[in-house]
Amino acid sequence: EHAARHFLELLGEKPLPLFNPLSAAGVGVPGAVGGVAAAPQQRAGWDPTAKQLYNALNLLVVCWDSPPGPALASIKQKVERFGDRPPFLSQVKAVNTIISRDFKKRTLTEMIDELATENKIKPYRFELLNELLEEAGIESKYG
């Protein structure tokens, strides 16, 4: 961690944003040069639906304890870049499809609830994503 932080300092780059679902977590990246760097989930100007999708993407990675595959990584990058705008229905559907591939057949909310049995997790809601899918006649796996 120290070497990575120093490398970013040498490059003149900001610290990488971190997603932390724990309710006791601080804001941003501690120890960053010049103070604390704001993580994308804490930046101002998020579209509410984009923020729910951003949280869902990150929580899925946490729940599955696995790095995002190419499809999730691509959607995550676009949501982070254009977080001030509503996500495309195709992005919400793609993540929903990926969630549906859970080998235990859980919704994302069920996965989070399981994670919360041993961790103090912030509350997350996905009603805006559920509404988009309902309007399109698609069963939501967000929960």
Side-chain angles (χ1 to χ4, degrees), residues 7 16 23 41-42 45 50 65 76 80 84 86-88 104 107 115-116 118 121 128-129 133 140:
F7 184 67
L16 300 175
S23 62
Q41 74 267 24
Q42 271 117 25
D65 192 24
K76 183 177 182 296
E80 287 175 350
D84 59 335
F88 293 114
K104 293 182 182 178
T107 66
L115 193 63
E118 296 182 20
I121 305 293
L128 299 174
L129 302 174
L133 292 172
S140 175

Side-chain angles (χ1 to χ4, degrees), residues 62-118:
V62 170
C63 290
W64 282 352
D65 192 24
S66 161
L72 276 182
S74 174
I75 295 169
K76 183 177 182 296
Q77 180 183 32
K78 290 173 185 165
V79 170
E80 287 175 350
R81 185 171 180 196
F82 303 107
D84 59 335
R85 302 173 212 162
F88 293 114
L89 177 60
S90 60
Q91 294 169 323
V92 176
K93 286 170 49 178
V95 175
N96 191 60
T97 300
I98 292 168
I99 294 167
S100 74
R101 295 186 181 137
D102 179 61
F103 73 95
K104 293 182 182 178
K105 302 298 180 200
R106 302 168 293 178
T107 66
L108 181 56
T109 300
E110 290 169 340
M111 292 180 223
I112 295 166
D113 290 344
E114 283 183 25
L115 193 63
T117 61
E118 296 182 20

Side-chain angles (χ1 to χ4, degrees), residues 20-59:
N20 192 339
L22 301 176
S23 62
V27 175
V29 183
V33 177
V36 177
Q41 74 267 24
Q42 271 117 25
R43 76 173 184 211
W46 270 105
D47 171 81
T49 308
K51 182 159 184 183
Q52 284 188 8
L53 185 58
Y54 173 82
N55 288 337
L57 287 160
N58 283 297
L59 287 162

